[in-house]
Amino acid sequence: MTTPLTVEQLRPRLGQLALVDVRSPGEYAAGHIPGALNVPLDQLDRALPALRRAADRGDLAVVCASGQRAATACRQLADAGIAALVLTGGTNAWAADGHPLNRPAGARAVWAMDRQVRFAAGSLVLVGLFAGLALPGARWFAAAIGAGLVLSAVTDTCAMGRALGRLPFNRPRPGAPTLDDALTALATPPAR
């Protein structure tokens, strides 16, 4: 079951619940809510045992940039029998309310994954259309990208997002917390 959580409700509970950020490591490093652990959406299945243990000890909240990927993660968690809260408006709402984001020294801003996907898909469609002026068959490339976007919407999956997530700027930087670090923190009961 997924329950919405507002920024006002989250703020006083930060130390009392397990907060999981499902954005890419690059997005997470560019700024995350204090105490959030990075479990990228494409790694959620691997994290299910640790997430279940964390949810058994108390509330589990999921966050992303705007709330869309967090809602997807919460549906996956619900399918696995794990209840989770989803932060309405995500990290963007947290920052817009004037709350601080943790940023490692030297971290640079990375576009949100949905923005990266829109840019890549739009660019590929334009390339296909312009190439179609010289090579008429190249328009089928643009059509294939469009079909992929429709399939992505219908299935609520994103192959392009998974591919972009493998690019260097979306991966963890040396010395940054890893998924294994997050799983260890989730599996370990907090010190009282």
Side-chain angles (χ1 to χ4, degrees):
M1 179 176 156
T2 300
T3 305
L5 179 71
T6 66
V7 169
E8 295 79 25
Q9 293 167 326
L10 173 63
R11 186 160 162 66
R13 298 180 64 192
L14 272 183
Q16 303 165 355
L17 50 71
L19 182 60
V20 175
D21 190 323
V22 295
R23 297 176 298 159
S24 72
E27 291 174 280
Y28 174 83
H32 58 272
I33 297 173
L37 300 169
N38 189 216
V39 178
L41 184 58
D42 64 348
Q43 297 292 312
L44 200 64
D45 285 340
R46 179 177 164 207
L48 285 176
L51 292 167
R52 185 179 319 284
R53 285 190 294 276
D56 287 346
R57 286 193 308 273
D59 285 334
L60 176 68
V62 182
V63 64
C64 66
S66 65
Q68 184 64 37
R69 284 176 283 175
T72 298
C74 284
R75 284 192 297 276
Q76 284 182 254
L77 291 170
D79 289 346
I82 302 170
L85 306 164
V86 62
L87 181 62
T88 305
T91 305
N92 294 341
W94 177 267
D97 258 18
H99 302 301
L101 294 176
N102 281 359
R103 289 185 175 93
R108 65 179 196 273
V110 174
W111 283 1
M113 188 57 66
D114 64 321
R115 186 175 180 192
Q116 291 180 47
V117 168
R118 289 192 313 264
F119 180 80
S123 297
L124 291 171
V125 167
L126 287 174
V127 165
L129 289 175
F130 285 124
L133 296 173
L135 303 165
R139 289 188 205 155
W140 287 106
F141 177 74
I145 298 298
L149 290 171
V150 170
L151 180 66
S152 175
V154 170
T155 62
D156 198 22
T157 61
C158 188
M160 187 177 290
R162 282 193 304 278
L164 290 171
R166 292 186 177 100
L167 293 175
F169 52 83
N170 283 322
R171 290 199 204 146
R173 307 222 180 347
T178 65
L179 176 61
D180 289 333
D181 295 333
L183 297 180
T184 299
L186 286 167
T188 306
R192 301 264 178 209

